Amino acid sequence: VPPTPRRRTTNPVLQNAWVKRNLKERFISDDPIVRILSAATLVNTFGNGLLSATTAIYFTRFIHISNHSLALTYALVAALSLVIVFPMGSLVDKYRPRKFGFWAITAVGLFSAASMFVTNLPQFVVLEVTSLFAQVAMRVNQQAYMGRLREGAARVSMMAYQRAVTNIGIAL
């Protein structure tokens, strides 16, 4: 005997409750630490995306740095970040994550504020390259800190969840 097909309810209140419950079960972690880290990650990645877009507009429109120069600078910074990420990991392991993270976040904030005073391409390149060290330090520190919160499969699951939230934040 074939199974009877499930009937869909036509009651919008029941449908809405099912959707909310199903979304919560599938996409929102039960772990409170993962939820807090996910909220922080979502805000951070959304803010980084917003800052990247507005920074590009600001430097091309108001400081009159050409699109090509801006793109080359960002490409240089991206390549350099790949080179320094591993040595930065060693530094994070050597020092305490909270203290290291505090100074990295403080430096990122100072470099972000300093971008208001850039008036030409050489200053922009110097600012982007130097601020890269603070940004990489902050990201590596965050990953190391999160890695210490869980062990084994729970760590892998938490990090995968964080990557998914990062992708959502970037997409927004």
Side-chain angles (χ1 to χ4, degrees):
V1 175
T4 58
R6 251 183 133 168
R7 289 181 42 189
R8 296 186 89 178
T9 181
T10 56
N11 184 343
V13 173
L14 292 177
Q15 281 180 338
N16 196 20
W18 179 84
V19 168
K20 283 182 183 177
R21 182 174 42 85
N22 196 25
L23 285 175
K24 185 175 188 288
E25 288 173 2
R26 290 177 128 189
F27 299 114
I28 299 175
S29 176
D30 292 333
D31 188 349
I33 291 174
V34 173
R35 281 197 311 261
I36 290 168
L37 285 172
S38 298
T41 300
L42 185 64
V43 169
N44 186 26
T45 54
F46 177 72
N48 286 343
L50 196 59
L51 182 65
S52 295
T54 55
T55 300
I57 293 169
Y58 172 75
F59 284 115
T60 55
R61 295 276 175 129
F62 300 107
I63 307 301
H64 305 292
I65 296 174
S66 73
N67 292 337
H68 292 83
S69 299
L70 196 72
L72 284 173
T73 302
Y74 284 141
L76 168 76
V77 167
L80 187 58
S81 72
L82 294 174
V83 172
I84 67 169
V85 72
F86 292 112
M88 197 62 71
S90 298
L91 282 176
V92 169
D93 289 339
K94 187 176 179 178
Y95 299 103
R96 293 186 307 196
R98 282 191 179 197
K99 191 174 193 177
F100 194 86
F102 170 78
W103 289 111
I105 290 170
T106 301
V108 168
L110 291 173
F111 284 122
S112 295
S115 67
M116 293 185 301
F117 303 106
V118 170
T119 58
N120 56 35
L121 180 62
Q123 289 176 351
F124 175 71
V125 171
V126 168
L127 178 73
E128 286 297 312
V129 169
T130 53
S131 69
L132 169 72
F133 287 91
Q135 292 170 4
V136 169
M138 183 180 72
R139 286 193 307 262
V140 168
N141 185 69
Q142 179 187 22
Q143 293 296 317
Y145 190 72
M146 285 192 300
R148 292 179 179 149
L149 293 175
R150 297 284 183 266
E151 295 291 327
R155 177 190 300 165
V156 172
S157 176
M158 180 182 72
M159 298 303 273
Y161 194 82
Q162 292 302 312
R163 282 191 299 275
V165 170
T166 298
N167 292 338
I168 292 169
I170 291 169
L172 292 177

